[in-house]
Amino acid sequence: MIHAFSGGVGGAKLARGLADVVQPSHLTIVVNTGDDFDYLGLRIMPDFDSVAYALAGLNDTERGWGRADETWQCRDALAALGVDTWFSLGDRDLATHLLRISLLKGGATATDAAAEITRRMGIACRLVPMTDHPVNTMVVTESGELSFQEYFVRQRCEPAVAAFRFAGVNRATPSAAWFHTFKQGVSRGLILCPSNPFVSIDPILSLAGVRGLLRRRVLPVVAVSPLVGGTSIKGPLAKMLTELGQRCDVLAIADHYADFLDGMVIDNRDAEFEPELRRRGLHVAVCDTMMVGREVSRSLARVSLELLAHCGAKHAT
Amino acid sequence: MIHAFSGGVGGAKLARGLADVVQPSHLTIVVNTGDDFDYLGLRIMPDFDSVAYALAGLNDTERGWGRADETWQCRDALAALGVDTWFSLGDRDLATHLLRISLLKGGATATDAAAEITRRMGIACRLVPMTDHPVNTMVVTESGELSFQEYFVRQRCEPAVAAFRFAGVNRATPSAAWFHTFKQGVSRGLILCPSNPFVSIDPILSLAGVRGLLRRRVLPVVAVSPLVGGTSIKGPLAKMLTELGQRCDVLAIADHYADFLDGMVIDNRDAEFEPELRRRGLHVAVCDTMMVGREVSRSLARVSLELLAHCGAKHAT
């Protein structure tokens, strides 16, 4: 079994590549739920749905989020009713939310609902929300504490960030659907997808028992850098690093995961950092990490898996 | 104040006419909720929405139900996820359901939600669900008891009906939003829209205190016949009457409401029944009741109001 931790769009691209090259029954993708929120009576799980749509081939590759061939009739009708449509619900996307809320109302946990939705989408690997407990990523900014969606969608990441808080995480346990195999040593390793460390990966690491387990170095961990050439492809990571007073390059990512990281995949453009990463005891692979198409996702997945196997072999010795 | 009791499509057409000719603050339309049901986590109120869409000019006049310029992307995406889409949710229609469920989840009653939705739709008269309590119209058929939607949508009214039951009606009280003025004698009269007596009007009449009040003849009541030339324009009324062993003409409607009815508006095609209706003590108006357009709805509303005023004057003497 291979585990991967993922946020939304960037992580979804690597997840698709991993699903292409790993036998489905041997792949578990764990998705951040810190961004999830309630909207118009629905339970919106942005990261989960981004990865699910990517794995099912339903995602819009042009826009970069949501479903392909999407329409917006419902959103426009909501706006005509004077509803604040700060979050754009697509008509096709709504089908997923309606299926989910009816499963949840029927007593399903988030994990149960995820299993049912992925089954219906024909997704063969395991795609699991990190927890069934409510965890809300809060962004501490100069203008106060904001929920992640408030920060990300409404305020377009404009306020400078000072810190992050995962409300509810103290009472949250990892979903058994992934943590059982993870903690039993069944996993052959963990890949951290090129997602935002602060708001996509840290929520998963903050769940009871996860970071502690990784610090005991029971399994190899490889991170695929979400930074390329000192900037984030999409999303506010570079801006956040700057506002937090940290360096904005692959070393910052390595430092962030320093207490358990074994290897790192970095972009050709960041090859200059390879020696420094090695000096810090990391195994390194350098390749094209810009997943502009499915082929690049697949080859990046292969490179990540090879590095993970390499780290695993070193672990064993 | 004028009150009208209404079901869905047929009633909605007269409701629109009434709203055109009665000062908005003097018109209260009470809608059957016996057909309401839960679907995919939403609360669907078919009759309420039919009347609301008609009053707001949002209804599809060609199809006869739902919203104009409707699209079906979400329904098709649900079907692709293997969800049973026996009830067709339009993308624009979904906006109403999402607004309603978010209001209900926020603690609003059905009446509160109706007030908010009609306000946002720009509906000036009062449009109220008959009750805030759950009432479920059950159709007793040869093949067992069916919920109304099961009978109407899934089984296309095919099973022969034997009786009707309004589950929950014993614990249901009329919404104060209409019943307060109704029982205080503020109302200048009640119009029964051309809706199905068994499944659209009877649920309202069955609420605690309603039929008893009408039987005390405290206000004039006029029914607009839902039958024209011995058949129902749309819907299963004629079929139901036959299956119940009743006659299928305007006299059946008069008999159905015999214990409180003062007047009846019938179609030109049923003029032959006028003498018999008068012999039964009813005031009668004969006109074109086929509401093929807004002008006919308006003139039918005028005729109904005149007859109601006439009955009211007789009441007073």
Side-chain angles (χ1 to χ4, degrees):
Chain A
M1 182 67 74
I2 299 288
H3 284 79
F5 289 177
S6 177
V9 177
K13 288 183 179 176
L14 183 60
R16 175 94 193 235
L18 289 167
D20 278 348
V21 301
V22 178
Q23 200 180 310
S25 61
H26 291 179
L27 177 62
T28 297
I29 299 163
V30 182
V31 183
N32 169 45
T33 62
D35 307 356
D36 299 359
F37 64 105
D38 295 314
Y39 179 57
L40 297 176
L42 303 170
R43 183 72 184 154
I44 313 289
M45 300 179 69
D47 285 356
F48 182 88
D49 288 347
S50 289
V51 178
Y53 291 153
L55 292 178
L58 295 171
N59 59 316
D60 187 298
T61 51
E62 293 278 311
R63 200 188 322 114
W65 57 272
R67 293 190 60 159
D69 305 317
E70 190 57 285
T71 57
W72 311 94
Q73 300 289 330
C74 180
R75 180 198 62 188
D76 294 349
L78 281 165
L81 287 172
V83 174
D84 182 357
T85 53
W86 63 276
F87 187 81
S88 274
L89 281 175
D91 299 322
R92 289 169 181 271
D93 185 37
L94 259 169
T96 311
H97 303 308
L98 289 173
L99 174 55
R100 174 178 296 121
I101 198 70
S102 64
L103 292 167
L104 294 176
K105 280 201 177 179
T109 61
T111 298
D112 298 336
E116 181 67 18
I117 289 167
T118 53
R119 186 186 65 75
R120 286 168 182 259
M121 286 185 181
I123 294 169
C125 69
R126 185 169 287 185
L127 175 63
V128 200
M130 66 182 198
T131 179
D132 288 329
H133 300 267
V135 174
N136 294 300
T137 296
M138 306 300 294
V139 185
V140 182
T141 76
E142 52 190 4
S143 47
E145 200 176 65
L146 304 172
S147 74
F148 182 76
Q149 295 299 333
E150 178 76 25
Y151 164 80
F152 189 71
V153 180
R154 277 209 210 240
Q155 305 220 20
R156 298 164 184 230
C157 310
E158 278 160 19
V161 305
F164 304 94
R165 187 170 72 87
F166 310 119
V169 80
N170 293 337
R171 292 179 302 280
T173 53
S175 172
W178 69 272
F179 199 58
H180 186 71
T181 52
F182 197 71
K183 73 178 174 194
Q184 295 302 317
V186 179
S187 186
R188 285 177 47 215
L190 170 65
I191 292 175
L192 303 179
C193 290
S195 299
N196 188 308
F198 301 112
V199 294
S200 297
I201 305 296
D202 278 359
I204 312 178
L205 297 175
S206 302
L207 294 168
V210 178
R211 198 186 295 264
L213 189 80
L214 294 175
R215 281 181 176 150
R216 291 200 300 277
R217 313 299 288 253
V218 292
L219 78 174
V221 183
V222 159
V224 178
S225 175
L227 289 176
V228 172
T231 189
S232 36
I233 315 298
K234 211 177 142 83
L237 175 56
K239 181 171 178 286
M240 285 176 176
L241 283 164
T242 307
E243 288 160 1
L244 292 167
Q246 298 185 22
R247 53 191 305 159
C248 187
D249 57 32
V250 298
L251 297 179
I253 308 301
D255 290 347
H256 191 85
Y257 300 130
D259 46 347
F260 56 75
L261 197 65
D262 297 291
M264 203 161 165
V265 182
I266 60 173
D267 193 81
N268 292 320
R269 268 160 284 192
D270 298 311
E272 60 185 297
F273 294 101
E274 186 181 352
E276 180 56 32
L277 289 169
R278 290 191 186 279
R279 261 194 295 281
R280 295 179 186 203
L282 295 175
H283 301 278
V284 183
V286 184
C287 66
D288 179 11
T289 67
M290 290 282 282
M291 293 178 279
V292 291
R294 194 161 171 181
E295 257 316 314
V296 189
S297 294
R298 216 175 273 166
S299 69
L300 182 57
R302 275 195 208 97
V303 170
S304 308
L305 290 163
E306 278 160 20
L307 185 64
L308 193 67
H310 179 74
C311 294
K314 296 285 178 187
H315 249 263
T317 58
Chain B
M1 182 66 74
I2 298 288
H3 284 79
F5 289 178
S6 177
V9 178
K13 288 183 179 177
L14 183 60
R16 175 95 194 236
L18 289 167
D20 278 349
V21 300
V22 179
Q23 200 179 311
S25 61
H26 291 179
L27 177 61
T28 297
I29 299 164
V30 182
V31 183
N32 169 45
T33 62
D35 307 356
D36 298 0
F37 64 105
D38 294 314
Y39 179 57
L40 298 175
L42 303 170
R43 182 72 185 154
I44 313 289
M45 301 180 68
D47 285 356
F48 181 88
D49 288 348
S50 288
V51 178
Y53 291 153
L55 292 178
L58 296 171
N59 59 315
D60 187 296
T61 51
E62 294 277 310
R63 199 190 319 115
W65 57 272
R67 292 189 60 159
D69 304 317
E70 190 57 284
T71 56
W72 310 94
Q73 301 289 330
C74 181
R75 181 198 61 187
D76 294 348
L78 281 165
L81 286 172
V83 175
D84 183 356
T85 54
W86 62 275
F87 187 81
S88 274
L89 282 175
D91 299 323
R92 289 169 181 270
D93 185 38
L94 260 168
T96 311
H97 303 308
L98 290 172
L99 174 56
R100 173 177 297 123
I101 197 70
S102 64
L103 292 167
L104 294 176
K105 280 201 177 179
T109 61
T111 296
D112 298 336
E116 181 66 19
I117 289 168
T118 53
R119 185 186 66 75
R120 287 168 182 259
M121 285 185 183
I123 295 170
C125 69
R126 183 168 288 185
L127 174 62
V128 200
M130 65 182 197
T131 180
D132 287 329
H133 300 268
V135 174
N136 293 300
T137 297
M138 306 301 293
V139 185
V140 182
T141 75
E142 50 190 6
S143 47
E145 199 176 65
L146 305 171
S147 74
F148 182 76
Q149 295 300 332
E150 177 76 25
Y151 164 80
F152 188 71
V153 181
R154 275 212 209 239
Q155 306 221 18
R156 299 163 183 228
C157 310
E158 278 161 18
V161 304
F164 304 94
R165 188 171 71 86
F166 310 119
V169 80
N170 292 337
R171 291 178 303 280
T173 53
S175 171
W178 69 271
F179 199 57
H180 186 71
T181 52
F182 197 70
K183 73 178 174 194
Q184 295 301 318
V186 179
S187 185
R188 284 179 45 217
L190 170 64
I191 292 175
L192 303 179
C193 289
S195 299
N196 189 308
F198 301 111
V199 295
S200 297
I201 305 297
D202 278 359
I204 312 178
L205 297 174
S206 302
L207 294 168
V210 178
R211 198 187 294 264
L213 190 81
L214 294 175
R215 281 182 178 152
R216 290 200 300 279
R217 314 300 288 254
V218 294
L219 79 174
V221 183
V222 160
V224 178
S225 175
L227 289 176
V228 172
T231 189
S232 34
I233 315 298
K234 213 176 142 83
L237 175 56
K239 181 170 177 287
M240 284 176 176
L241 283 164
T242 307
E243 288 161 1
L244 293 168
Q246 297 185 22
R247 54 192 305 161
C248 186
D249 56 34
V250 298
L251 298 180
I253 308 302
D255 291 347
H256 192 86
Y257 300 129
D259 47 347
F260 56 76
L261 197 66
D262 296 293
M264 202 161 167
V265 182
I266 61 174
D267 194 80
N268 292 320
R269 268 160 283 193
D270 297 311
E272 61 185 295
F273 293 102
E274 187 182 350
E276 181 54 35
L277 289 169
R278 290 194 185 279
R279 259 193 297 277
R280 293 178 188 205
L282 295 174
H283 300 279
V284 184
V286 184
C287 66
D288 179 12
T289 66
M290 289 283 283
M291 292 178 282
V292 291
R294 194 161 172 182
E295 257 315 314
V296 188
S297 293
R298 216 175 273 164
S299 69
L300 181 56
R302 275 194 207 98
V303 169
S304 308
L305 290 163
E306 279 160 21
L307 184 63
L308 193 66
H310 179 72
C311 294
K314 295 287 177 182
H315 250 264
T317 59

